Amino acid sequence: MAEIKVPELAESITEGTIAQWVKKVGDRVEKGEFIVELETDKVNAEIISEEAGVLTQILAEEGDTVLVGQVIAVVEAGEGAAPAPVEAKEETAPAQEAPKAAPAPVEVEETSGERVIASPAARKLAREKGIDLAAISPVDPQGRVRVQDVAAHGTAPVAQAAAPVAATAGPMIFTPAGETDRVTVEKMSRRRQTIAKRLLEVKQSTAMLTTFNEIDMTNIMALRKRKQEQFVKANDIKLGFMSFFTKAVVAALKKYPYVNAQINGDEIHLNNFFDIGIAVSTEEGLVVPVVRDANAKNFAEIEKNIAELAGKARDKKLGLNDMAGGSFTITNGGVFGSLMSTPIMNGTQAGILGMHSIVNRPVAVNGEVQIRPMMYVALSYDHRIIDGKDSVGFLKTVKEMIENPEDLLLNS
């Protein structure tokens, strides 16, 4: 018999949430095979079985919070016999060494008199919503009611749900009687909770200020058009704007090193490396994988690195090493149509560059009004480290580099 435990992922990670079981009780499991996905506040991790056999017990349901070291499943020798009856889970539970493990689904006598099998998390949510578990139609073919089933069933009458809501610490949300269907309650994912917490910490612990400029994209767009076919043939990847902006940021950081710094207590740490975080939007929120040593990479290497990291982010394959560290961040709200924004700094970094939509606007060029493709850019920075002179100078340097892209190519 082999116990499947939540592994140690990183020193700062102590718990996670069961995101998805890819195996069910009775399935054959090979050694090293991925059986469950664990969601943590940083990354999603795939937990494997260290032994071959049959998955005989699942001790934590999807949506349950589990601790590092906790037993969440049991694999026994065998060839994949039919799944054991669900009722047997409770009988075998005392034999496990883990009262610390989340309890298995158990049968519950509901108000309708029917016997219902439900996970602890589902029962808890049903109690909070005042929903009779027997009235829920589960998706699970074995008839187990899970959190998703309860959430999809809808909300209960206000009178039943009022007591749990009143006990919460936050302000109450008023919903008119008989109109509970106007609100859908959705629990924040662990990652979304972490994102919210960290962004709030940055706002509260830094003297954040934002300065703006605008960039004429005419020359860089013309250069990309001229060189695109040649670049793709040579490197098997398109030449995008991000490699230009990454190179421009590195050049500006070298000129204004305090923008590449961070505060540690009463010390300022000036980073002598250029690990540039690139914000990537995923279904679960924004993540910031890091392009390491961007100063030492050419345009093709940066484009490939960004494409690889973005793909891993969207496939939930990012590792902790992909996101650790980083000395400065670039975020591009322009891909979603944002014209202007004030981005929030990432972690302990002192600055973040915000890119935005390219819009044709009338501008004065050599005394004449011309229509040019223009982009607003924003630098949010920690005013405790960076003064106005450096922040404005940094952004002006980025502007000059992008408006004269040949200089970036020659210096790379």
Side-chain angles (χ1 to χ4, degrees), residues 212-214 333-342 354-361 374-378:
F212 302 91
N213 211 319
E214 61 178 353
V335 296
F336 303 110
S338 172
L339 184 62
M340 187 178 290
S341 67
T342 56
M355 299 165 56
H356 300 94
S357 296
I358 301 173
V359 178
N360 287 328
R361 295 200 301 271
M374 305 297 293
M375 175 194 287
Y376 289 120
V377 286

Side-chain angles (χ1 to χ4, degrees), residues 168-204:
T168 61
M172 291 184 62
I173 299 175
F174 174 74
T175 303
E179 298 185 6
T180 55
D181 60 340
R182 294 177 62 182
V183 177
T184 299
V185 178
E186 182 180 292
K187 183 176 176 60
M188 292 175 70
S189 68
R190 180 175 295 276
R191 187 164 301 157
R192 175 55 64 185
Q193 292 179 49
T194 302
I195 291 171
K197 178 182 176 182
R198 290 180 177 171
L199 290 177
L200 188 60
E201 287 175 349
V202 170
K203 291 281 286 185
Q204 293 175 338

Side-chain angles (χ1 to χ4, degrees), residues 340-353:
M340 187 178 290
S341 67
T342 56
I344 298 177
M345 292 176 296
N346 181 30
T348 60
Q349 295 174 14
I352 179 171
L353 178 72

Side-chain angles (χ1 to χ4, degrees), residues 20-24 27 33-37 47 62:
Q20 178 186 14
W21 284 99
V22 298
K23 293 287 186 177
K24 61 181 183 295
D27 282 356
E33 187 174 8
F34 165 38
I35 63 172
V36 61
E37 183 179 12
I47 299 179
E62 293 177 3

Side-chain angles (χ1 to χ4, degrees), residues 206 252-254 256-264 267-276 326-329 345-352 380-386 390 394:
T206 63
L253 290 175
K254 289 179 178 179
Y256 298 96
Y258 282 92
V259 185
N260 200 39
Q262 62 189 56
I263 288 180
N264 185 10
E267 298 177 338
I268 296 177
H269 289 195
L270 296 168
N271 296 317
N272 298 318
F273 58 91
F274 302 90
D275 291 353
I276 308 301
S327 60
F328 187 88
T329 294
M345 292 176 296
N346 181 30
T348 60
Q349 295 174 14
I352 179 171
S380 291
Y381 61 96
D382 192 340
H383 208 353
R384 297 177 301 165
I385 307 177
I386 305 166
D390 280 3
F394 173 91

